[in-house]
Amino acid sequence: MNLNLIRFWLLLFFGKANTGIYLFSLMVIVYFNFQMNEDLILKISLDLLFIALFALQAANLSKRYQAEQFVFLSIISTNRKVFNQGIVAVIITSPVIIIIWVTLRIWFGDVPDFNIGLIALFSGLFAVVSGLLVGEVIRKHGLGILVLITLYLTIGLIPWTLHEKFRYVSPVLNIYNPYLINFRNIISIFAAVLLFYGMATIFSYRRGGGKKSLITWLTVGIALCLFSGIRIYEYTHDKRLESNEFNIIKIGTTQVHYKGMSRDRAEKFGVVIDYLYNLADGLHIAPKRYSLEITQRYAVSSIEPKVMMKNRDQLIINIYSNKLLDFNYGFDWVSKWIDYILTNDTDTSKDNINLLKHQMIKKTLEENPMNIYTESRRQKLTIND
């Protein structure tokens, strides 16, 4: 690490004109995060876009100040140059990473600080290194900005099912269920950071030191090994799961067949749907009763899998995302199940069905079977009721 070079680049970045723009950008980020009622994923994606753009600026400092020829002629290797730029970018973008942490902390009141910190840190590092990669590979500054805007708007606007398909490089995947961290995604994001760093060095338009550096090729090799290891682990897990027999538990009148998941998680599904049957009985409704068949897989096929299917008197549930295990912000299982179990009451009008459904959802929120809702989520749902 060349501290003098880092200090020099920071002084360049925080010149008189740049400091005003930087502070104004931070004010815009703060306002957008805490005043605008936008979708959370879109908010975080735009935060990551700002981080990537700041990193892009850090990667282009020498070009912007017409000092590029000195960098090209200097004895510092491309590997060391990119690393130092990364340090500068982390320093510059750290306030935005903190803003992401605060936003997630406010949004998810009951999630452990460790989980929130892990999501903010790794998504922030991903954005930093993506900005460095674009800055090193694309010579035209405007084109680099366009590439980053396209990338992060796409990340913010595509549905969660596509994030599951691109789970190895999705920096926002864990936000869909921050209560249960997907560590395969965290490891993959770390691999992506290493890969982007290596590619920024290898494909830099200043190639003088990158191709000779063992560190660069070692970084790329570790990244590819991590990606391969995660992919093989998921594949073998799902293959082994196909040959496994279903475990069976009975909760009340509900039979639950499950595999690939813990007994506690399977019990949560069984307890909640059995609770809904009892609610329907108390409202003098004849509910349609089903057994559950639940399978939790790791990999997602190219064709979008169905979350839930009906097969006569059985509901087949396909868990392929941690989002589907969260009753709070993830998947609205209670509402979906009520739609299935009330269909047998043909004498009830549609308006009455909707009223009964509302009553059952409200009662479930109040009773909170198996503590499926956290306290902060119950308060938000009660306010919005």
Side-chain angles (χ1 to χ4, degrees):
M1 184 188 301
N2 191 319
L3 295 178
N4 289 329
L5 187 59
I6 290 173
R7 189 182 302 113
F8 173 71
W9 272 332
L10 285 172
L11 289 173
L12 284 181
F13 188 89
F14 289 108
K16 291 183 179 179
N18 286 341
T19 301
I21 295 172
Y22 176 75
L23 293 175
F24 177 75
S25 299
L26 288 182
M27 289 172 60
V28 170
I29 296 170
V30 170
Y31 178 80
F32 182 77
N33 276 268
F34 306 121
Q35 297 298 324
M36 304 294 286
N37 295 320
E38 299 294 334
D39 177 76
L40 177 64
I41 299 297
L42 182 58
K43 276 185 181 183
I44 301 301
S45 298
L46 291 176
D47 291 339
L48 297 179
L49 172 60
F50 272 102
I51 291 175
L53 291 175
F54 285 149
L56 176 66
Q57 296 286 74
N60 286 318
L61 278 172
S62 55
K63 284 188 290 184
R64 288 168 56 212
Y65 287 93
Q66 300 177 351
E68 195 173 14
Q69 64 273 24
F70 299 107
V71 175
F72 269 80
L73 293 172
S74 66
I75 61 172
I76 187 172
S77 68
T78 305
N79 176 63
R80 186 63 62 85
K81 169 181 172 286
V82 174
F83 180 78
N84 288 334
Q85 286 176 335
I87 298 297
V88 172
V90 168
I91 294 171
I92 292 167
T93 60
S94 56
V96 189
I97 296 176
I98 293 171
I99 290 171
I100 292 175
W101 185 90
V102 173
T103 300
L104 295 176
R105 175 74 284 156
I106 293 172
W107 191 275
F108 301 109
D110 301 283
V111 175
D113 287 334
F114 175 79
N115 292 18
I116 297 293
L118 208 61
I119 295 170
L121 176 63
F122 278 85
S123 59
L125 288 177
F126 178 92
V128 165
V129 184
S130 67
L132 287 179
L133 174 61
V134 170
E136 283 296 323
V137 175
I138 299 177
R139 297 210 64 176
K140 293 186 178 179
H141 191 65
L143 179 59
I145 291 175
L146 182 61
V147 168
L148 290 174
I149 290 174
T150 302
L151 172 64
Y152 285 98
L153 282 184
T154 301
I155 288 173
L157 295 174
I158 63 174
W160 66 273
T161 49
L162 283 177
H163 281 285
E164 286 295 339
K165 290 178 184 177
F166 296 99
R167 60 197 175 280
Y168 301 126
V169 289
S170 171
V172 297
L173 183 69
N174 271 298
I175 297 175
Y176 288 106
N177 184 0
Y179 297 93
L180 180 64
I181 291 291
N182 183 337
F183 282 99
R184 287 173 284 115
N185 170 256
I186 293 293
I187 295 171
S188 299
I189 290 296
F190 177 68
V193 169
L194 295 179
L195 183 63
F196 289 175
Y197 169 75
M199 290 171 62
T201 305
I202 294 170
F203 296 108
S204 171
Y205 51 86
R206 179 192 184 267
R207 301 169 185 256
K211 291 188 175 181
K212 302 174 186 177
S213 174
L214 178 62
I215 294 176
T216 297
W217 294 106
L218 187 62
T219 301
V220 172
I222 292 172
L224 295 177
C225 287
L226 288 173
F227 279 128
S228 300
I230 292 294
R231 182 68 188 94
I232 292 170
Y233 173 72
E234 289 188 342
Y235 178 79
T236 54
H237 172 273
D238 288 354
K239 272 295 183 184
R240 187 170 61 249
L241 197 61
E242 290 177 7
S243 59
N244 289 352
E245 296 292 330
F246 281 96
N247 299 301
I248 302 174
I249 54 175
K250 190 168 184 180
I251 299 169
T253 60
T254 305
Q255 199 168 56
V256 181
H257 304 248
Y258 69 96
K259 63 179 178 179
M261 66 192 312
S262 67
R263 180 186 175 94
D264 289 343
R265 289 178 188 164
E267 280 183 349
K268 181 175 286 189
F269 281 81
V271 165
V272 175
I273 197 168
D274 194 69
Y275 173 82
L276 294 175
Y277 291 147
N278 294 331
L279 275 185
D281 289 336
L283 294 170
H284 307 292
I285 305 169
K288 174 68 175 177
R289 296 181 182 270
Y290 299 91
S291 63
L292 300 181
E293 180 185 290
I294 312 172
T295 305
Q296 183 177 358
R297 296 177 174 85
Y298 284 169
V300 182
S301 63
S302 56
I303 301 172
E304 186 171 321
K306 290 186 176 295
V307 175
M308 186 161 54
M309 297 176 291
K310 182 171 70 172
N311 181 19
R312 296 183 181 178
D313 293 336
Q314 187 176 57
L315 291 179
I316 301 172
I317 297 173
N318 181 25
I319 303 292
Y320 59 88
S321 167
N322 281 357
K323 175 184 172 69
L324 299 173
L325 296 170
D326 177 30
F327 286 75
N328 291 277
Y329 300 89
F331 195 78
D332 193 0
W333 286 108
V334 171
S335 180
K336 293 289 184 184
W337 283 335
I338 292 173
D339 288 336
Y340 275 94
I341 69 179
L342 292 187
T343 55
N344 199 45
D345 190 17
T346 55
D347 296 330
T348 305
S349 67
K350 185 177 180 180
D351 288 340
N352 286 335
I353 285 283
N354 289 333
L355 179 61
L356 290 170
K357 181 178 178 180
H358 177 76
Q359 291 175 347
M360 291 176 71
I361 292 173
K362 187 175 180 180
K363 191 67 176 176
T364 305
L365 181 64
E366 292 173 355
E367 296 293 330
N368 201 20
M370 283 288 287
N371 296 317
I372 58 172
Y373 299 113
T374 64
E375 188 58 36
S376 65
R377 185 58 175 161
R378 288 176 70 190
Q379 292 173 1
K380 286 184 180 180
L381 290 173
T382 302
I383 292 171
N384 295 330
D385 186 24

